[in-house]
Amino acid sequence: VRGKKEIKSLNFVKNNWKSLCGWTCFSIVFNVLNTIVYGTLFAKIQQEYDPNGYEQHFSVINTITTFMSAAILPILGSIVDQQKSMKTWLIITEILGLIITYCFLFADFLPDDKDSNGRTTAPSYYIEILYVFGIFFLRTAVMCNNAMLGFFASEYRVGLSLFANFIGFGVNLVGLLTLAFVPSNWPTNTWGLSVNMWWLLIFSCIALASFPLTLLSPQNIIDDYISINEENEHLNDLSQISKKSFIQCLKLGVKSLIETAKSLKSDLSYRNVLYFLLAYLFFSTAGSIYTIYLSTFFLSLFDLDTKELSKLNLYYKCSMVGGVIIGLVAASFIKNKDLILLVLHNIMFTGAFICLCIFNDSYTLSLTMSLIVGFTYAWNMSVSRGLMAKLMPQSKQTEMMAFYSAFTYLGIGVVSLVYSAIPQFLDAATLPFLMLIYMLPSYFFFFILY
């Protein structure tokens, strides 16, 4: 910040198309990497190197990176707030995520020695380590991107969240359609790279091509409530903050987290954020877990081949895109009713999970209820992010969005551990019942928040 001319209101961004474009285009980079590369292609690559134990090893590394994100992101978010360097952290973590993704290509050139279980050890360990850190850096970038939503005018935040998710889900759908319908022998094994590695390279290049647009993302902006008489003092504070070392910012970040905890007793706005996060921990995790384990759930009930399973996932992605489109339309007519919308979503989740528990012997009914879950989950996820951006204290944007991310990953990690243990005691088809029981406490926290 150089002077008063650079002091701008939070609301200026609503008409700044460059900032809007930069913030939205991050959804392309993230969804290409997170869903297509790390979510789809990684599983196929890991299966090539570890055909007998890839599911178990994937569960382990996914649990590690999930709990690592839940533990570290709140501290990291607080540091970002102290440094006032949200955009810098976004760009750096994006770059690190891209670099790590490209490093997967070297796995095909490592020694191919196998252990007694048929696991190609060197490439397997190599890609699993890359996965843990690659996903962590991408989640850090998501935290910063989510926090930037607070730079936009309050009345536009839910709509922007829906629009960004629409772009992201649309990219996912096109990518999955490409993988599903392009002949399996293309691209051919060339230059020592497998077919899946070539696809990883192609989609990583798409993410890299989109990356420059994210450089247009909004900078940190001084809050609306700073009056003209306070400007010079606030400018000096920002200048001092920017010159502090990382260790000093770490200390200030920890202090900020302690202050946040203390504020829960005296400040209603902080308590409202906590109540929302606790409700979110239960209702959103139910949708996330069902989405993650959709294929596993249907395979445990019905004998689906690869083509049928691909169609199932495509139908589910289509329902998610539909949910975002309806959400965008609804956002134009329904103003400031975000909490009521989330409660209605919760009721839809509950009804769908009850039907899945009762009619799980019918593929048609199970598919229909699953599409309702996907439709509701995509809409619900967008509204949740927008409402969080409205509730959070503007002075702690990144810290609050770090807690938002942490609660997401904490819920996914805990339920994943429980679900992974289910086959040892119960049938894996009990997933809807587990989700139904897990999400019930959300109604209590919605009641308190309302």
Side-chain angles (χ1 to χ4, degrees):
V1 179
R2 297 187 182 89
K4 294 182 181 180
K5 290 184 179 180
E6 295 193 29
I7 298 177
K8 301 176 181 179
S9 162
L10 291 175
N11 291 336
F12 97 102
V13 184
K14 71 181 181 182
N15 296 319
N16 190 320
W17 289 102
K18 288 184 179 179
S19 295
L20 177 61
C21 176
W23 182 81
T24 305
C25 284
F26 174 80
S27 292
I28 300 175
V29 177
F30 177 73
N31 280 281
V32 167
L33 293 177
N34 183 68
T35 302
I36 299 176
V37 174
Y38 285 88
T40 303
L41 293 174
F42 178 81
K44 294 182 178 180
I45 293 168
Q46 191 183 28
Q47 187 178 24
E48 291 176 358
Y49 294 127
D50 186 13
N52 298 317
Y54 74 96
E55 291 179 340
Q56 179 183 359
H57 291 118
F58 176 76
S59 178
V60 171
I61 61 173
N62 191 53
T63 301
I64 290 172
T65 192
T66 297
F67 282 114
M68 185 171 76
S69 300
I72 297 176
L73 286 183
I75 298 174
L76 203 54
S78 187
I79 292 172
V80 173
D81 279 335
Q82 297 301 322
Q83 291 182 328
K84 302 294 179 184
S85 56
M86 201 180 298
K87 184 175 179 178
T88 302
W89 277 87
L90 173 74
I91 293 169
I92 290 174
T93 50
E94 268 189 287
I95 292 173
L96 289 173
L98 281 165
I99 290 173
I100 289 175
T101 304
Y102 277 105
C103 286
F104 278 105
L105 300 174
F106 296 104
D108 280 347
F109 302 97
L110 294 176
D112 56 359
D113 298 332
K114 297 184 178 181
D115 61 17
S116 58
N117 296 318
R119 174 180 167 93
T120 311
T121 52
S124 293
Y125 286 123
Y126 176 73
I127 64 172
E128 287 166 4
I129 291 171
L130 290 179
Y131 178 91
V132 169
F133 287 99
I135 285 291
F136 174 75
F137 285 127
L138 288 176
R139 286 173 174 173
T140 304
V142 169
M143 173 190 73
C144 296
N145 179 260
N146 285 343
M148 286 178 177
L149 188 56
F151 290 157
F152 297 88
S154 178
E155 63 268 25
Y156 290 92
R157 290 173 190 169
V158 171
L160 289 175
S161 179
L162 284 160
F163 179 69
N165 281 341
F166 171 73
I167 297 296
F169 294 153
V171 169
N172 286 345
L173 189 58
V174 172
L176 290 172
L177 283 169
T178 302
L179 290 173
F181 291 103
V182 170
S184 58
N185 60 349
W186 190 92
T188 58
N189 291 33
T190 310
W191 298 340
L193 294 178
S194 65
V195 172
N196 288 321
M197 282 297 188
W198 270 110
W199 278 119
L200 182 145
L201 177 60
I202 291 169
F203 283 108
S204 297
C205 288
I206 294 172
L208 181 62
S210 305
F211 165 73
L213 294 173
T214 66
L215 300 177
L216 299 174
S217 297
Q219 298 275 10
N220 287 63
I221 304 166
I222 294 178
D223 298 341
D224 259 342
Y225 55 78
I226 301 297
S227 67
I228 295 176
N229 294 330
E230 294 173 320
E231 286 174 0
N232 290 332
E233 181 181 354
H234 193 67
L235 289 174
N236 291 333
D237 289 343
L238 288 176
S239 176
Q240 291 173 6
I241 288 173
S242 64
K243 294 179 181 178
K244 292 184 182 296
S245 67
F246 180 83
I247 299 299
Q248 289 174 311
C249 287
L250 176 59
K251 292 179 180 178
L252 288 172
V254 173
K255 182 180 178 181
S256 176
L257 289 172
I258 295 173
E259 289 174 353
T260 298
K262 291 180 179 178
S263 297
L264 293 173
K265 294 182 179 180
S266 57
D267 194 326
L268 179 61
S269 63
Y270 279 81
R271 289 200 298 275
N272 285 337
V273 170
L274 176 62
Y275 296 146
F276 170 73
L277 287 175
L278 289 171
Y280 177 80
L281 174 65
F282 294 102
F283 73 80
S284 182
T285 299
S288 300
I289 289 293
Y290 190 79
T291 301
I292 291 171
Y293 289 99
L294 176 71
S295 298
T296 305
F297 171 64
F298 268 81
L299 285 172
S300 67
L301 291 176
F302 311 103
D303 186 19
L304 303 180
D305 58 26
T306 303
K307 189 175 182 179
E308 290 172 327
L309 200 60
S310 298
K311 287 183 179 179
L312 168 68
N313 282 282
L314 285 175
Y315 295 151
Y316 194 78
K317 288 296 180 184
C318 287
S319 72
M320 293 180 73
V321 173
V324 174
I325 292 173
I326 296 301
L328 280 168
V329 174
S332 303
F333 299 98
I334 305 174
K335 302 292 184 180
N336 301 318
K337 302 293 184 181
D338 304 326
L339 189 59
I340 295 175
L341 272 176
L342 291 179
V343 174
L344 291 176
H345 293 160
N346 222 35
I347 294 172
M348 291 175 69
F349 275 139
T350 303
F353 287 136
I354 290 174
C355 290
L356 283 165
C357 290
I358 298 173
F359 304 110
N360 59 16
D361 56 340
S362 169
Y363 176 80
T364 302
L365 285 174
S366 295
L367 175 61
T368 302
M369 292 301 106
S370 296
L371 296 183
I372 291 174
V373 172
F375 173 90
T376 308
Y377 171 61
W379 187 359
N380 173 276
M381 183 168 52
S382 304
V383 175
S384 297
R385 181 169 63 166
L387 180 56
M388 180 64 186
K390 291 181 180 181
L391 292 174
M392 67 185 182
Q394 294 299 317
S395 60
K396 296 187 175 186
Q397 286 172 252
T398 318
E399 181 183 318
M400 291 295 109
M401 280 301 183
F403 278 114
Y404 178 78
S405 298
F407 272 66
T408 301
Y409 304 137
L410 179 63
I412 292 174
V414 170
V415 179
S416 293
L417 284 176
V418 174
Y419 185 62
S420 63
I422 280 179
Q424 300 178 26
F425 307 100
L426 299 170
D427 191 272
T430 55
L431 177 64
F433 179 74
L434 175 63
M435 295 298 94
L436 182 62
I437 298 301
Y438 180 82
M439 68 181 294
L440 289 179
S442 63
Y443 286 102
F444 172 73
F445 293 109
F446 274 135
F447 177 75
I448 296 176
L449 188 59
Y450 188 78

